[in-house]
Amino acid sequence: MTRKLYFLTLLCFVFAACAARAQGKLSFEKETHDFGTIAEGTQATYEFRVKNVGDQPVIISTVQPACGCTTPTWTKEPLLPGKVGVITAVYNSTGRPGPFHKAITVTSTAEEPTQVLYIKGDVGPKDLKSVPTQEQKIMSPRLAVGSTNYNFGKLEKGQKAIARFQIKNTGRQPLVVQGIKAACNCVQYRVSESSLKPGQTALLELRYSANVLEEQNEVVTVLSNDIIVPTLRLTLKATVIEPQARQDMLREGK
């Protein structure tokens, strides 16, 4: 009887020890995220993925950022063994220019109850999105043109004339002319190739409508996917006169 009681007691100790060792454990896919350089005013967001690699459910009770500039959300339901949860960190860069390095403390019922995540980066100017990275500059298509001016000479009012420019892609990616802008709304365009491969040339035609008399200088902005110089300015010049038939009628009237 004593021996039986001894074995039962020993068995209880073994089960208790195993139960004590059985616990959830959190493993983060990534503990530090670098946003790189972001524009001021950006709400930089990153999701930290976390997996329960233990053998018991884990509850993430709190996620505490180091300052009010970071807003976290996280998986609230118990994280079962083998399941993946998410901790989302949102960094508000408004009014915070310069580098940042922020800690986010995660508290849970896991084997390691407190773990720390980090977000970092550098807040640049608000118009940062218009500033390409060095890698983007190297790989960008490039719109090149020989001459940026075209003089039609004399044109009769109402006459349509075409200025032709030879353009070339001197970059490393296909070049696409995306449109034009002209203050007068008197210019239309056509490109002989819809997409120019690196090193390829094409003909850009600008069809000008002479609607206003006297000396005209129309600036036409060509838009493209060249990220270094996304706009190219061409100038169309013309001396617009009355139509010849109109001039003959005026002479006869006199």
Side-chain angles (χ1 to χ4, degrees), residues 101-119:
H101 193 287
K102 303 297 180 182
I104 303 168
T105 303
V106 180
T107 304
S108 70
T109 59
E111 181 182 284
E112 189 177 347
T114 302
Q115 292 171 273
V116 182
L117 306 174
Y118 296 94
I119 55 172

Side-chain angles (χ1 to χ4, degrees), residues 26-78:
L26 295 182
S27 175
F28 288 89
E29 186 177 81
K30 190 178 182 182
E31 295 183 0
T32 300
H33 177 70
D34 188 351
F35 287 109
T37 304
I38 60 176
E40 184 182 343
T42 300
Q43 299 286 328
T45 304
Y46 184 74
E47 291 185 346
F48 290 94
R49 292 174 61 82
V50 56
K51 184 176 182 180
N52 181 2
V53 295
D55 48 18
Q56 291 294 319
V58 173
I59 297 175
I60 300 175
S61 53
T62 59
V63 177
Q64 184 65 46
C67 73
C69 57
T70 306
T71 305
T73 57
W74 64 93
T75 301
K76 300 294 196 302
E77 60 269 17

Side-chain angles (χ1 to χ4, degrees), residues 235-252:
T235 302
L236 304 180
K237 297 181 180 181
T239 301
V240 182
I241 60 176
E242 289 284 2
Q244 188 63 42
R246 171 70 174 169
Q247 293 178 2
D248 293 343
M249 290 175 63
L250 288 173
R251 278 196 294 268
E252 289 177 6

